[in-house]
Amino acid sequence: MIGFDYWPRIASLLAQTDPGVNVDIGTTNGLLGGAIGAFLSTLVVGAILVAVAPEFTERMMGDVLEDPVGTFAYGIISLLAFGLVILLLAITIIGILLAVPLIVVAYLVWAIGGAIAYLAIADRLVGRNDGWLKPLLVAACLSGALAVTGIGGLLAVCIGATGFGAILRTFF
């Protein structure tokens, strides 16, 4: 006959309060780290764009503001295509050698496109009468603030896809 005397011992082992593994997972560390990373990446990439290629930056900002739906659609479709190509390349052993540089290039274009899209929004909000400092700070603050919330993260992906699409549409 099956006895039921081992179930309390199993339940006590499964429900132990200190299993000996100390993993501290907090939502504030991840959220604040993501917000700080988004703020700094937008600020640094935007400052480099403004310093190195101001004409290109202004032209891409104009494309984002002129046709946001078209650049967004182009960006989302391109992002899905990049993901599919990277997945297909990663399936093969030889293709991994091509997938890794493609991931790096796609990430760099995404960072540049996101910074341009945030700069375009910030330019609409505060203007550039005093130079690029205010739009850069507002763009970085927008990026960091959107990274904190869940809905803001979805909106940040849409904004990044718009900038991504503007850049890729220019080069293709």
Side-chain angles (χ1 to χ4, degrees), residues 72-86:
F72 169 73
Y74 199 88
I76 287 292
I77 291 169
S78 299
L79 186 63
L80 291 174
F82 269 105
L84 182 64
V85 168
I86 289 169

Side-chain angles (χ1 to χ4, degrees), residues 2-154:
I2 299 175
F4 293 105
D5 58 340
Y6 62 91
W7 286 106
R9 281 186 270 155
I10 291 175
S12 68
L13 288 174
L14 292 176
Q16 56 182 316
T17 58
D18 187 20
V21 178
N22 189 11
V23 177
D24 185 25
I25 299 174
T27 57
T28 57
N29 292 341
L31 289 176
L32 291 178
I36 291 170
F39 174 85
L40 289 176
S41 65
T42 303
L43 185 66
V44 169
V45 172
I48 291 171
L49 282 170
V50 167
V52 173
E55 296 87 19
F56 172 77
T57 304
E58 288 180 15
R59 191 176 74 238
M60 290 295 103
M61 286 170 51
D63 287 350
V64 166
L65 292 174
E66 182 180 311
D67 186 20
V69 175
T71 55
F72 169 73
Y74 199 88
I76 287 292
I77 291 169
S78 299
L79 186 63
L80 291 174
F82 269 105
L84 182 64
V85 168
I86 289 169
L87 179 69
L88 291 175
L89 285 173
I91 289 173
T92 66
I93 301 300
I94 302 297
I96 292 175
L97 296 174
L98 295 173
V100 172
L102 187 60
I103 290 171
V104 171
V105 168
Y107 179 75
L108 289 175
V109 173
W110 180 271
I112 292 169
I116 285 173
Y118 279 112
L119 278 172
I121 294 169
D123 187 36
R124 279 283 172 103
L125 290 174
V126 295
R128 269 185 286 142
N129 297 334
D130 301 332
W132 282 100
L133 183 61
K134 267 195 226 177
L136 275 171
L137 290 176
V138 169
C141 287
L142 281 172
S143 177
L146 287 176
V148 173
T149 64
I151 299 297
L154 181 62

